[in-house]
Amino acid sequence: MPEVLDPVDVVCVGVGWTGGIIAKELAEDGKQVVGIERGQERGPEDYLTMHNELRYALRYEMMQDLSKGTLTFRNNPNQRALPMRQLGSFLPGKGVGGAGVHWNGQTWRFLPYDFQIRSETLDRYGPGKIPEEMQLQDWGITYEELRPYYLEFEKMTGISGAAGNLNGEIQDEGNPFEGPRNEDFPTQPMITSPVLGRFMEASSSVGLHPFMAPSANLSEAYTNPDGVARGPCQYCGYCERFGCEWGAKADPTVTVLPVAQETGNFELRTQCDARRLVYDEKEGRVTGVKYVDTVDNTVYVQPAEVVALTAYGLWNVKLLLLSDIGEPYDPETGEGVVGKNYCYQNFGGSAAGFFDDEEWNLYMGAGALGAAVDDWNGDNFDHTDLDFLHGGNIAISQTGKRPIANNDAPPGVDKEWGAAFKRASVKYHNSTVNISAQGAVLPHRTNYLDLDPTYTDEWGDPLLRMTFDWTEQDRKLAEFEGRRCAEIVEAMNPTKMGVGTSVIGENGHYDIRPYQSTHNTGGAIMGANSDDSVVNSYLQCWDAENLFVPGASAFPHNSGYNPTGTVGALAYRAADGIKQYFKRPRMLG
Ligand SMILES: Cc1cc2nc3c(=O)[nH]c(=O)nc-3n(C[C@H](O)[C@H](O)[C@H](O)COP(=O)(O)OP(=O)(O)OC[C@H]3O[C@@H](n4cnc5c(N)ncnc54)[C@H](O)[C@@H]3O)c2cc1C
């Protein structure tokens, strides 16, 4: 029998970006908050030895241990899913701060169009434009409603950038396609390095509107509204897959968590693995969380007034399914909601340029040092004669070329080995540019998450099963975006052009082995009513009113940007919802 602990006000299941935000907001509000985290406690002092590509980038020391729990994968419902036994396509976090410690920091707002994608598509193109199996839906919230929460997340993290739209007025330096902002970014844009400058000139020359990408790697010293002071980025290039020992990259361990701890109202329990939410279906409530302290395998139940499921999108869905909360999605009938609309990101469109007589210091950089154009994203261009919807942000990223991972060689050179490859790899290390589109992935009837009937995790519980493949929409979008990327590279005047790295692959199917992005979305989606969503616009669960489910699991589709700006904004909104719920418990409207 599990030991039942004294009740608290709020339990956060997982302590990464979303858990950290909820913990800080509610602890500051005077609530007793417990954070249950399966990984270890850590902070910037633990990141001091991290400039070690082999340990962290290739042997994944920051990431989830797949021998204890993974997921199974198949491309379509007719296949048998098999366990993912090596990390590849995405790199979920473990440990305090979650993947928010080893992320890059590219921090976007989604377009106003994203939140009303179905209505806007119908209005502009008519009903024939949405393919039958594309389960496109509005989010149940507008950009305007989310706008103050975006600002809160950006101020907390200190995002560096230049506004493109200030209260409806287009600004020269920023992204003219973005939704209106109330005020400029908290810190100025990062340095426009020579190669980024070249990208900006080239894209302007072909009629596009380039701007410096918004970054959670600080461009200058910054003190946020919580009083947290951090120093500027050193451009060392060790962001993605590493923690920032300098604290210049916003992560939960240098922003929200110290503030939560300072209140005295937040208790962090590490190496504790949540296995179930305790659900009272009749009452429509959760009463607490059952978890194992993995140090001595003791099982506990932590009762709570409110549970925030903040375990990362994929594991949010797994815990909902294991706890029998909500109706599982059935792709045959279209009934059910939990697991529905799993989406990802489409990096299929890209292009490369090789420069024989020019060099840039590409080993320097930062996770979010980049320049971008949004002309081919969202519905910023006319889709009337196109056979796909949405688009992607096209960017050049100077994330810092690490020595092992980067071996660029132009077309015609064997990319695996041999003397010619070695020569090319040395020659082009600082002379290659890669430009890629971050394509939106729209929901499809047979892309979904459920529980695997065969394979189990270390506790004997079913693994999450992912069924996902690229659709015609993805392939056409990738092809289109690839051509747009090539136009920009060409305008940069390279000696030779390359095709870039296409993840759509030769056979056109999604391959879970090569790294693409940890931008897994959907499965516990938000919406205006319980028929087609798991949570409302406060991320409050329709089937358990004291359960809130923040994370990218709430996205009804994935946009053409990295997700965490929107994940963070929604977490602030969920925190707001929890505060309102404490004042008067009810379904929030
Ligand atoms: C290499 C990499 C680069 C990225 N770069 C970017 C970027 O540039 N821009 C961007 O927008 N996004 C980026 N992301 C994505 C970003 O990290 C995530 O969107 C963000 O961290 C999600 O926040 P979260 O709170 O939902 O999950 P996380 O921050 O991952 O936190 C979830 C926490 O829950 C814990 N947990 C899970 N299950 C349990 C359980 N059963 N019991 C207890 N604890 C549990 C995990 O250990 C983890 O600590 C990147 C991700 C990776 C991996």
Side-chain angles (χ1 to χ4, degrees):
M1 282 294 283
E3 185 178 330
V4 179
L5 301 166
D6 290 338
V8 295
D9 296 316
V10 181
V11 179
C12 296
V13 180
V15 185
W17 262 134
T18 55
I21 290 168
I22 303 283
K24 176 191 102 69
E25 287 294 301
L26 273 297
E28 281 184 329
D29 205 41
K31 301 291 179 290
Q32 292 303 311
V33 183
V34 164
I36 293 173
E37 168 55 49
R38 66 183 170 185
Q40 307 259 10
E41 180 146 22
R42 59 188 181 186
E45 62 283 3
D46 301 304
Y47 315 145
L48 283 168
T49 56
M50 283 218 169
H51 291 217
N52 185 328
E53 188 180 1
L54 189 62
R55 276 179 65 182
Y56 296 100
L58 287 111
R59 295 191 175 153
Y60 306 120
E61 280 198 23
M62 310 283 283
M63 293 32 152
Q64 179 164 338
D65 178 353
L66 298 189
S67 70
K68 296 187 187 303
T70 180
L71 48 71
T72 65
F73 163 72
R74 58 185 180 172
N75 279 129
N76 66 64
N78 300 320
Q79 295 174 334
R80 177 178 170 187
L82 293 173
M84 177 176 82
R85 298 207 188 273
Q86 285 182 341
L87 286 165
S89 180
F90 43 88
L91 303 173
K94 64 153 199 273
V96 173
V101 172
H102 64 263
W103 74 319
N104 269 322
Q106 301 169 10
T107 311
W108 298 91
R109 294 182 180 195
F110 284 5
L111 295 162
Y113 155 80
D114 279 307
F115 302 99
Q116 285 155 302
I117 188 167
R118 184 175 179 84
S119 320
E120 291 210 5
T121 305
L122 292 175
D123 278 358
R124 189 165 176 189
Y125 304 107
K129 193 72 179 170
I130 303 176
E132 206 185 312
E133 303 221 301
M134 185 187 280
Q135 302 178 147
L136 214 52
Q137 51 188 80
D138 292 351
W139 287 41
I141 193 169
T142 62
Y143 171 80
E144 279 308 312
E145 287 167 311
L146 202 54
R147 183 166 150 178
Y149 303 104
Y150 270 125
L151 188 61
E152 247 179 311
F153 183 70
E154 289 165 356
K155 284 190 163 177
M156 179 269 287
T157 43
I159 302 304
S160 303
N165 180 339
L166 273 181
N167 295 310
E169 284 199 20
I170 301 304
Q171 310 293 309
D172 284 345
E173 269 191 52
N175 174 10
F177 298 101
E178 70 178 5
R181 294 172 180 272
N182 302 41
E183 48 189 274
D184 209 339
F185 283 89
T187 53
Q188 64 185 335
M190 297 192 87
I191 287 171
T192 306
S193 69
V195 76
L196 300 188
R198 184 71 164 267
F199 167 92
M200 289 171 89
E201 273 167 34
S203 38
S204 292
S205 76
V206 293
L208 305 175
H209 301 85
F211 57 94
M212 286 295 291
S215 163
N217 320 130
L218 285 179
S219 61
E220 56 185 307
Y222 176 67
T223 303
N224 78 7
D226 302 318
V228 174
R230 292 160 40 227
C233 177
Q234 311 292 300
Y235 298 91
C236 75
Y238 281 77
C239 297
E240 184 182 86
R241 307 185 186 202
F242 310 92
C244 176
E245 75 278 17
W246 187 244
K249 176 173 76 174
D251 83 48
T253 68
V254 296
T255 53
V256 282
L257 289 172
V259 180
Q261 272 159 330
E262 190 86 336
T263 62
N265 294 332
F266 174 54
E267 186 194 340
L268 181 58
R269 295 189 196 145
T270 52
Q271 293 177 267
C272 289
D273 202 337
R275 292 195 50 203
R276 293 284 186 287
L277 311 186
V278 187
Y279 181 44
D280 183 338
E281 191 177 350
K282 234 170 53 212
E283 292 292 318
R285 293 173 57 77
V286 284
T287 55
V289 177
K290 182 173 151 192
Y291 70 93
V292 186
D293 183 331
T294 56
V295 174
D296 59 9
N297 281 349
T298 313
V299 182
Y300 295 97
V301 167
Q302 176 60 66
E305 280 298 308
V306 165
V307 174
L309 186 49
T310 47
Y312 186 68
L314 292 171
W315 317 128
N316 285 351
V317 176
K318 180 182 176 188
L319 278 163
L320 286 174
L321 290 166
L322 283 176
S323 310
D324 283 327
I325 301 174
E327 194 186 339
Y329 170 68
D330 179 346
E332 284 291 310
T333 62
E335 303 284 309
V337 280
V338 183
K340 184 179 160 184
N341 284 19
Y342 171 71
C343 292
Y344 193 45
Q345 205 99 63
N346 173 355
F347 283 90
S350 63
F354 300 87
F355 296 76
D356 278 359
D357 305 316
E358 284 172 88
E359 280 203 16
W360 299 284
N361 292 340
L362 299 179
Y363 51 87
M364 294 197 73
L369 178 63
V373 293
D374 244 355
D375 301 67
W376 307 114
N377 199 359
D379 206 27
N380 299 341
F381 55 108
D382 185 12
H383 289 69
T384 307
D385 297 324
L386 297 171
D387 44 12
F388 61 85
L389 289 169
H390 215 300
N393 175 266
I394 292 180
I396 180 168
S397 293
Q398 189 172 345
T399 52
K401 277 190 165 179
R402 297 187 300 266
I404 304 174
N406 291 285
N407 289 289
D408 293 307
V413 177
D414 187 325
K415 288 225 166 89
E416 300 294 320
W417 62 315
F421 164 67
K422 285 185 194 160
R423 269 197 306 276
S425 159
V426 171
K427 175 164 176 52
Y428 290 104
H429 188 75
N430 280 317
S431 309
T432 307
V433 299
N434 286 291
I435 292 179
S436 63
Q438 181 153 205
V441 170
L442 303 182
H444 188 267
R445 184 178 63 81
T446 55
N447 287 338
Y448 70 107
L449 303 168
D450 66 353
L451 291 178
D452 192 275
T454 310
Y455 295 97
T456 55
D457 64 17
E458 65 171 326
W459 312 113
D461 285 326
L463 293 182
L464 188 72
R465 176 170 65 177
M466 175 187 288
T467 306
F468 180 75
D469 206 354
W470 304 123
T471 61
E472 275 312 286
Q473 148 80 26
D474 298 309
R475 296 187 190 99
K476 285 171 179 155
L477 173 62
E479 210 253 315
F480 176 88
E481 297 281 341
R483 274 188 277 127
R484 305 286 83 83
C485 292
E487 283 161 11
I488 302 173
V489 175
E490 211 168 351
M492 290 175 82
N493 265 330
T495 319
K496 300 183 193 81
M497 294 277 297
V499 286
T501 346
S502 174
V503 292
I504 297 275
E506 272 173 24
N507 64 6
H509 294 293
Y510 170 62
D511 183 346
I512 202 164
R513 293 167 301 170
Y515 185 70
Q516 290 159 59
S517 80
T518 313
H519 302 165
N520 316 87
T521 67
I525 64 177
M526 58 195 290
N529 67 71
S530 57
D531 296 340
D532 61 8
S533 59
V534 176
V535 292
N536 67 13
S537 74
Y538 287 93
L539 310 191
Q540 181 184 25
C541 184
W542 295 111
D543 287 288
E545 66 169 37
N546 62 339
L547 170 63
F548 291 74
V549 191
S553 43
F555 295 5
H557 73 271
N558 202 3
S559 181
Y561 303 106
N562 311 60
T564 309
T566 302
V567 167
L570 285 170
Y572 273 102
R573 180 162 169 100
D576 197 5
I578 296 171
K579 288 178 202 169
Q580 291 183 40
Y581 184 80
F582 271 112
K583 287 200 184 114
R584 188 157 66 85
R586 66 204 189 278
M587 265 330 271
L588 303 163

